[in-house]
Amino acid sequence: MNSLNQIILEGNVSRQPELRQSAAGTSVCIIPIAVNRSYKNARGETTEEVSFFDVASFGRTAEVCSRYATVGRHVRVVGRIKQDRWKNQEGKAQSKVSIIAEHVELLNLPRRQWEESSRRDGAGQSSGGKTEAAETLIAVNTAAACEQPLPLEAVPAGEGDGEEIPAF
């Protein structure tokens, strides 16, 4: 039985994402995210804290994230934590903790950019008659748990409840 391993991060893209290809030809995008936190310390003063995380996405999700996860964009990531362990050249044990994205939301995508991507990639109508100034692009990679990416699904915020989601 698998133990629970889930993380939710919400923050801003801090550097341009890096798109690469794995040895097997799978697209891999590393998205650097800054997560801000403020709290009151023991003296009652508000303290600001920033944590930086590199999030890995795969397949079509990686390709979309590399295109639309621009510096400063607000993102929400649901994923899991993965620890890699190895020995360095001196034989000393090393480890690194990574965040593997299973679901990425690129929040506040400007409507113009959403409509352009919908026309270009065939996602269908994006606005559905809505008048909001922005849409949310949702990238889902449910196979990230087994490292085999599935096609990306994209849907404007508030749409797709119980209906078929168009392929992006």
Side-chain angles (χ1 to χ4, degrees):
M1 181 165 113
N2 288 334
S3 299
L4 179 62
N5 180 358
Q6 186 171 31
I7 187 168
I8 300 171
L9 294 173
E10 192 169 312
N12 296 309
V13 177
S14 60
R15 292 186 322 273
Q16 187 61 34
E18 184 179 326
L19 182 65
R20 295 182 250 165
Q21 297 292 319
S22 71
T26 302
S27 296
V28 179
C29 184
I30 305 301
I31 311 162
I33 297 175
V35 178
N36 298 304
R37 174 179 179 250
S38 63
Y39 62 94
K40 295 207 183 256
N41 62 19
R43 294 180 295 232
E45 302 165 334
T46 301
T47 304
E48 298 290 327
E49 173 182 278
V50 180
S51 298
F52 295 91
F53 302 97
D54 285 337
V55 177
S57 60
F58 298 90
R60 185 76 172 119
T61 301
E63 293 167 12
V64 170
C65 287
S66 74
R67 183 185 302 167
Y68 296 108
T70 54
V71 175
R73 172 142 344 264
H74 193 74
V75 298
R76 182 179 302 128
V77 175
V78 177
R80 63 184 171 85
I81 298 173
K82 180 182 178 201
Q83 182 181 28
D84 293 316
R85 295 184 202 129
W86 69 94
K87 291 193 183 215
N88 65 13
Q89 293 176 344
E90 293 84 37
K92 183 177 176 186
Q94 302 285 305
S95 71
K96 179 182 177 184
V97 174
S98 303
I99 297 171
I100 309 299
E102 295 173 0
H103 177 97
V104 178
E105 293 181 44
L106 302 166
L107 304 171
N108 300 324
L109 187 65
R111 177 176 294 284
R112 178 183 46 75
Q113 195 173 5
W114 171 260
E115 288 173 349
E116 287 172 5
S117 70
S118 296
R119 278 193 302 275
R120 179 175 51 253
D121 297 326
Q125 291 193 349
S126 62
S127 63
K130 294 184 179 183
T131 58
E132 296 96 40
E135 297 287 345
T136 299
L137 180 64
I138 301 173
V140 180
N141 185 6
T142 55
C146 62
E147 306 289 335
Q148 299 209 356
L150 291 178
L152 169 80
E153 299 169 344
V155 64
E159 293 184 13
D161 301 322
E163 58 188 327
E164 187 174 348
I165 300 172
F168 190 82

